[in-house]
């Protein structure tokens, strides 16, 4: 099974992003825009995981998630990997509580459970909105969206998701764990 752990933003917040990017969808040659149903913030990509490892993975991820408080976040701006001038991924960025410790815990738990293909790239929280096979200059797109600032929202849970590959990519939520209540200021 091809698995990853993710935070899925609330529908109202995704509505704001969808409205912001709507005039640009299909307008940038070479960009492929995945369906909104696939939008998520990846905390850890685990690759192919044998079904026999699933119970241990779920146990370890539940433990990792419980150690972290809910996160107050907002989408604030857009960017691209690897750079705006030579982009292959167009994304919405986040501000607010740092997600790095949560992502590190989730990835460590997955490794301990035997998910050997965990992603070792430096964590950069983002919501992928489009991809390109060839490097594409996205400076005009990002500049046209500089005005955007999303509403604040709270990330309250983490999902374990199975990715079904093929002509039509589909995601299936296998488990979900609630983050600890936010600590008072």
């Amino acid at each position: 099974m091809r698995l990853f752990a993710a935070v899925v933003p609330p529908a109202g917040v995704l509505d704001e992003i969808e409205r912001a990017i709507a005039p640009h969808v299909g307008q940038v040659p070479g960009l492929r825009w995945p369906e909104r149903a696939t939008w998520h913030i990846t905390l850890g990509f685990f690759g192919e995981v044998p079904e026999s490892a699933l119970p241990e993975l779920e146990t370890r991820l539940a433990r990792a998630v419980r150690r972290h408080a809910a996160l107050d976040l907002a989408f604030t701006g857009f960017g691209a990997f690897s750079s705006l001038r030579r982009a292959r991924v167009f994304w919405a960025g986040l501000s607010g509580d740092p997600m790095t410790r949560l992502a590190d815990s989730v990835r460590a738990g997955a490794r301990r459970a035997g998910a050997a293909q965990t992603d070792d790239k430096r964590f950069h929280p983002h919501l992928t909105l489009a991809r390109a096979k060839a490097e594409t200059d996205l400076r005009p797109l990002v500049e046209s969206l500089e005005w955007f600032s999303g509403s604040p929202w709270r990330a309250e849970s983490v999902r374990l998701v199975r990715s079904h590959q093929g002509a039509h990519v589909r995601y299936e939520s296998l488990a979900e764990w609630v983050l600890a209540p936010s600590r008072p200021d």
Side-chain angles (χ1 to χ4, degrees):
M1 294 183 286
R2 187 177 171 93
L3 302 177
F4 61 89
V7 169
V8 178
V13 172
L14 295 179
D15 290 343
E16 293 175 353
I17 290 180
E18 189 170 40
R19 283 191 298 273
I21 66 170
H24 307 283
V25 174
Q27 301 302 308
V28 180
L31 274 188
R32 295 167 302 164
W33 301 81
E35 292 181 24
R36 175 181 158 157
T38 65
W39 290 1
H40 63 274
I41 300 161
T42 302
L43 295 172
F45 176 73
F46 313 135
E48 290 296 327
V49 176
E51 195 162 338
S52 61
L54 191 57
E56 179 70 10
L57 179 61
E58 288 181 352
T59 298
R60 299 251 181 203
L61 292 181
R63 191 176 304 145
V65 170
R66 276 195 309 265
R67 292 182 186 138
H68 297 274
L71 304 166
D72 291 317
L73 304 166
F75 285 105
T76 52
F78 298 88
F81 296 134
S82 66
S83 71
L84 290 178
R85 187 182 299 252
R86 297 188 332 261
R88 290 187 183 253
V89 175
F90 171 62
W91 47 258
L94 288 155
S95 67
D97 294 336
M99 300 178 85
T100 305
R101 288 184 50 228
L102 172 60
D104 289 346
S105 293
V106 164
R107 291 174 180 194
R111 275 191 298 278
R112 286 187 204 102
Q117 292 186 15
T118 54
D119 185 1
D120 288 327
K121 293 178 192 166
R122 193 180 110 232
F123 180 69
H124 182 276
H126 67 280
L127 178 72
T128 297
L129 298 169
R131 295 183 181 277
K133 287 186 179 182
E135 291 180 346
T136 304
D137 186 351
L138 294 184
R139 289 176 297 176
L141 174 60
V142 171
E143 288 168 9
S144 72
L145 292 164
E146 285 178 339
W147 58 270
F148 180 83
S149 182
S151 298
W153 58 281
R154 177 165 286 169
E156 298 181 310
S157 65
V158 173
R159 294 183 190 178
L160 177 63
V161 181
R162 181 177 183 180
S163 174
H164 297 274
Q165 300 296 297
H168 180 73
V169 174
R170 184 175 60 85
Y171 294 150
E172 172 188 6
S173 183
L174 300 180
E176 185 169 8
W177 303 279
V178 176
L179 291 156
S182 291
R183 295 176 185 98
D185 293 334

